[in-house]
Amino acid sequence: MRHDDIHIPAYGGRLFDPDRFPFLEGRQQETSWRNTEANPLPVNNRTVLHLLEALQLLQVKVPGGGPAEARRLSFRALDIEQIGHVYEGLLDHTAKRATEPFLGLAGSRDKEPEFPLSELEKVRAKGEADLIKFVKEVTGRSPNAIQKA
């Protein structure tokens, strides 16, 4: 890439290739930016703020099974290879359009499911005991921890 003030050599990467991840532009897989109109998800400033904050805080598990600690992450000290690992880790995530409100449930270990709020409301309509039983099954948390939360 050439610019009046700087020269950035091309390394053959696909970092800015719009066809690598067409979902970011609201297009279907196997479509091209050349002949398919982009329809990206509308993202407001508040969402971007939350994303940037999440990138700056690293949740570190504490030895002994205690709650995870939030530690501020500085990107200043990262070299190019480490930045590549961070970028690759971000690519492991997928964005999906929610058709209704969802609620994320805090769980134990790697159990942190997300459910449509309407589904949780249906379970709650059967009674508090049914809701606690359901949340216990999907999160692995104890009934006492669920009630306390």
Side-chain angles (χ1 to χ4, degrees):
M1 171 187 272
R2 294 216 178 268
H3 186 273
D4 293 342
D5 297 329
I6 60 173
H7 170 71
I8 301 174
Y11 289 106
R14 295 178 50 206
L15 179 61
F16 298 105
D17 180 357
D19 289 333
R20 183 169 182 197
F21 301 105
F23 72 90
L24 292 173
E25 296 189 338
R27 294 185 290 111
Q28 296 295 317
Q29 196 68 23
E30 306 299 326
T31 61
S32 172
W33 66 272
R34 296 178 192 274
N35 55 24
T36 305
E37 185 177 337
N39 185 21
L41 294 173
V43 178
N44 61 27
N45 289 341
R46 183 178 179 87
T47 301
V48 173
L49 174 65
H50 287 297
L51 289 170
L52 292 174
E53 287 174 343
L55 289 173
Q56 293 176 3
L57 291 176
L58 180 64
Q59 297 294 326
V60 179
K61 293 191 178 189
V62 182
E69 275 181 12
R71 295 186 186 167
R72 186 158 297 281
L73 180 64
S74 172
F75 288 89
R76 287 183 188 177
L78 296 180
D79 65 25
I80 192 77
E81 186 173 321
Q82 292 168 323
I83 290 172
H85 287 296
V86 170
Y87 175 72
E88 287 174 6
L90 292 173
L91 293 178
D92 288 339
H93 298 281
T94 302
K96 293 183 180 179
R97 185 183 301 258
T99 56
E100 61 181 298
F102 273 71
L103 186 65
L105 302 176
S108 62
R109 295 175 219 105
D110 294 329
K111 289 184 169 184
E112 293 191 339
E114 296 174 350
F115 288 96
L117 186 56
S118 61
E119 184 177 332
L120 295 171
E121 287 172 337
K122 287 177 187 174
V123 176
R124 173 62 177 100
K126 297 177 185 176
E128 186 173 331
D130 284 350
L131 179 62
I132 291 172
K133 180 181 175 187
F134 175 80
V135 173
K136 178 183 183 291
E137 289 173 6
V138 299
T139 64
R141 296 180 76 184
S142 71
N144 286 341
I146 294 167
Q147 286 179 318
K148 189 174 182 181

